Amino acid sequence: MTDEMASSESMGLGKSRIFTPEVINDIHVKADLGRYRMRGGGIFKKIPHWDELVFLPGTLTRFVIEGYREKCTTKTVLGSRFAKNPLVLDIPIYITGMSFGALSLEAKMALAKGASMAGTATCSGEGGMIPPERDFSTKWYYQVIQSRYGFNPHHLMLADAVEFFIGQGCKVGMGGHLMGQKVTEQVAEMRSLPAGIDQRSPARHPDWLGPDDLSLKIQEVREATDYQVPIQLKLGASRVYDDVRMAAKCGPDVIFLDGAEGGTGAGPHIATEETGIPLLAAIPEARRALEDVGLADEIDLVVAGGIRNGGDVAKCIALGADAIAIGSAALMALGSNKEVEGADYQGTFGVSAAEFYHWHTGKDPAGITTQDPELRKRLDVDEGATRVYNFLHTLTLEVQMLARACGKTDVHSLEPEDLAALTTEASAMARVPLAGTSYIPGVTESQTLEEIKTLLAKHVANDGGGSDV
Amino acid sequence: MVAMNPPTDQETRGRNDIRGLAEPDAEAPKVARVEGGTATFDAADLSPRLVNLELRRLIYAEGIREVRIENPGAKHSIAVGLLARCRITINGSLGYFGATLGDGPEIHITGRVGWSVAENMMSGVVVIDKNAGSLTGAAMRGGDLVVRGHVGARTGIDQKGGTIVVGGNAGSMTGFMMQRGRQIICGDVGPGMGDSMYDGEIYVGGTVAALGVDCIEAEMTPEDEELLDRKLGIYRIDRPDTFRKFVCGKQLYNYDNLEPSERKLVL
């Protein structure tokens, strides 16, 4: 009896790892709400990530390139397959699609300006084109997204590249979300929606269903834009090998893969946690698919999802990406999740600035993921642009540093051979050897099996050759 | 789709996609005959790329306002992305994505059309004399889209403006997620009509198999009757004696406004 009634903590049996205080709280909240819970940001749970890969720089077997003295080029060209004007970027990093609506006008302008300063591109995102963003962007993607909110053929003609949004890594298989607080008169008008509604964008395109239709849709947009600009297909990382094979057959110039680490302005927590595969598992699968359909040299691969620093960027390139898009990190460079004067993160949201994930509420104290006129005043476009530029420049310097250390005079020359994995999971997913070994789970075994089969076949041939000695 | 000009060995090496749809290096064929301000050309031996290059040449470079295309052969992506006032007659049928992404053209198709005709049209008029496939007028933002025959499923999906007029019947999920604009269906409509619509009006002259989630019937007003008379009069479509009007029930506008008993609406 005393055991069950233990009154002191030292007598307790332990705590549930399944029903943690956070899980119990979540159940209580849902029992009150009667619906799934929304939030901004990316995945919370721990998944195999770039931290589990390291570079193997040159020592004696490879010679290294001098930092600051010898050239290491970063120029990145996307979409030269069919486009008359491929997208030429000075750096292998650009800013991914985030809608006006999810972001404030000032945030969109600052991202555009910062990206242009760095010689790279931005993307319209879902809510249609806002002229100041187009004005500030020297290179600009226009998104053909399921909802077609604000989609305008005149704006299509102004694009430097067209991105077909098919899915995003954060919530694969779902359309966008924008909560009523952020659907102001202006945002609603651009999207032809009633103001103040909780906007749930369609998950499927209105005018095509499967890959056969998609190849015709691509033909339509190519005809409308007269083959001037690249067509990019953005996929959430799911069944990557099969999806990329199908995507490649639809005839795009570029394929964009978004890993499960990617964030969102607003999405169901359950989808953010439970959909998609990590980018380090997706890139090798995409490369394998492109090799198998014979289009590895023709279709460019852009990747995104949870990219934080030049190390992550360099690892993506090494595994086979041609360019990397950033979203969450760009917002943080702008000043998201930062203490600002007048902000009370703890009092308003119950979390510190660094843990702030409430982009969906439209009450961002930094004035970035909001439409509130007072909060928006906190973001200065020019200062924000400079910070974005500084961050993009730093990422590039970091990629160059690692590329030079690995003996490359072009960042795009980084290759899987330059990487090692720190965990068996990362090794199996990224298909690079476990550090200090030549072992790649799955790959090594199948190679060994092939050798055994070959030897066995030779043995049978020798032995069964009709010898009657 | 059957490739109109079989690619040469040179073309298939690198400059062509797997399905043979991409033709990056083509040039306008310059085959049109121009008489009295009207250009006519035969599309029988032209690929969609060549048809569109010829159209663009005539309309933008030559400034011609009236074009007639013979033998369109149900090709896909014909007369897309035209952003100028002009009148185009297509004497026959089109495949998928016919007359899409336009702002201004007046396009008359004497035959039938495949999926997604007049997709994302901004303004102008598209008239189809016979039947249309599914996704007719998807994401359309303005102008008039008239189908004299029947239409398939999901007519006016994500429609954001303009008017879709159907002389015959419409399939299932008509007006799915419609945001704004009007649909006038003279015949019968299939199940799931107006499902998850945000706004706009659907007028039906015949029967409705079943309404979709959050679509409700509303009272016809004299303004509605005037609109129907006017639109059907312009396109000379016989007006059924009575119409019923359907609009959004607005129960799905906000996540938290549903009463516990209404929550099953979204399952």
Side-chain angles (χ1 to χ4, degrees), chain A residues 142-146 148 151 162-165 205 217 221:
Chain A
Y142 191 42
Q143 229 173 35
V144 178
I145 194 164
Q146 291 99 329
R148 307 288 163 82
F151 193 85
V162 179
E163 176 174 277
F164 282 63
F165 179 104
H205 280 256
K217 176 72 189 172
V221 172

Side-chain angles (χ1 to χ4, degrees), chain A residues 212-459:
Chain A
D212 284 343
D213 314 341
L214 173 58
S215 54
L216 296 175
K217 176 72 189 172
I218 290 174
Q219 180 193 33
E220 178 213 24
V221 172
R222 278 221 176 92
E223 291 294 335
T225 54
D226 197 27
Y227 287 72
Q228 297 294 322
V229 297
I231 308 281
Q232 172 170 308
L233 299 185
K234 175 175 177 174
L235 314 173
S238 165
R239 292 179 187 80
V240 175
Y241 178 75
D242 292 333
D243 288 336
V244 168
R245 274 180 74 113
M246 276 205 177
K249 290 199 171 188
C250 291
D253 300 295
V254 187
I255 292 175
F256 178 128
L257 261 185
D258 196 14
E261 304 93 329
T264 180
H269 170 73
I270 202 84
T272 306
E273 293 299 294
E274 311 300 345
T275 60
I277 67 167
L279 201 48
L280 67 83
I283 301 174
E285 282 288 271
R287 288 292 4 153
R288 188 164 70 88
L290 290 175
E291 297 285 350
D292 286 358
V293 293
L295 293 169
D297 295 335
E298 294 196 37
I299 296 178
D300 298 312
L301 183 67
V302 177
V303 302
I307 302 300
R308 305 158 298 176
N309 55 46
D312 293 353
V313 174
K315 288 167 191 173
C316 290
I317 295 175
L319 286 184
D322 296 291
I324 284 80
I326 58 167
S328 302
L331 297 189
M332 289 161 195
L334 257 188
S336 179
N337 295 72
K338 200 175 176 183
E339 282 297 349
V340 275
E341 211 183 302
D344 179 15
Y345 285 91
Q346 203 71 48
T348 319
F349 307 103
V351 294
S352 67
E355 288 172 338
F356 172 73
Y357 60 80
H358 304 69
W359 295 341
H360 65 298
T361 61
K363 295 182 180 135
D364 182 359
I368 295 165
T369 58
T370 181
Q371 298 300 322
D372 183 314
E374 285 307 310
L375 295 174
R376 281 167 48 197
K377 285 181 190 158
R378 292 184 185 164
L379 180 68
D380 181 275
V381 173
D382 288 330
E383 284 173 21
T386 305
R387 286 199 297 265
V388 170
Y389 164 67
N390 285 341
F391 182 62
L392 287 168
H393 183 66
T394 307
L395 288 180
T396 311
L397 286 176
E398 288 177 343
V399 179
Q400 272 187 321
M401 179 186 291
L402 292 166
R404 284 191 175 107
C406 290
K408 318 293 185 194
T409 53
D410 183 332
V411 295
H412 297 288
S413 300
L414 284 163
E415 53 194 323
E417 204 252 355
D418 296 319
L419 292 171
L422 299 176
T423 62
T424 42
E425 287 83 1
S427 174
M429 290 182 189
R431 293 197 197 121
V432 298
L434 195 59
T437 76
S438 58
Y439 176 57
I440 306 175
V443 176
T444 306
E445 286 85 346
S446 54
Q447 279 169 355
T448 309
L449 201 63
E450 274 311 306
E451 277 171 35
I452 294 171
K453 277 185 190 166
T454 315
L455 285 174
L456 207 61
K458 275 186 192 163
H459 179 70

Side-chain angles (χ1 to χ4, degrees), chain B residues 173-246:
Chain B
M173 302 299 270
T174 295
F176 185 36
M177 290 191 276
M178 176 178 180
Q179 295 172 226
R180 279 183 198 177
R182 297 170 295 231
Q183 298 191 5
I184 302 169
I185 319 280
C186 294
D188 303 332
V189 182
M193 191 184 84
D195 196 290
S196 307
M197 65 192 285
Y198 290 96
D199 209 345
E201 295 87 34
I202 306 177
Y203 302 95
V204 182
T207 60
V208 176
L211 292 179
V213 172
D214 206 21
C215 177
I216 57 168
E217 185 161 3
E219 195 123 340
M220 287 285 287
T221 64
E223 288 76 23
D224 293 324
E225 298 287 354
E226 190 275 332
L227 169 91
L228 293 170
D229 286 342
R230 183 158 47 84
K231 286 289 179 188
L232 294 172
I234 292 172
Y235 300 105
R236 299 176 198 279
I237 292 175
D238 290 340
R239 187 193 191 288
D241 293 338
T242 55
F243 270 96
R244 293 162 73 194
K245 175 181 165 184
F246 299 89

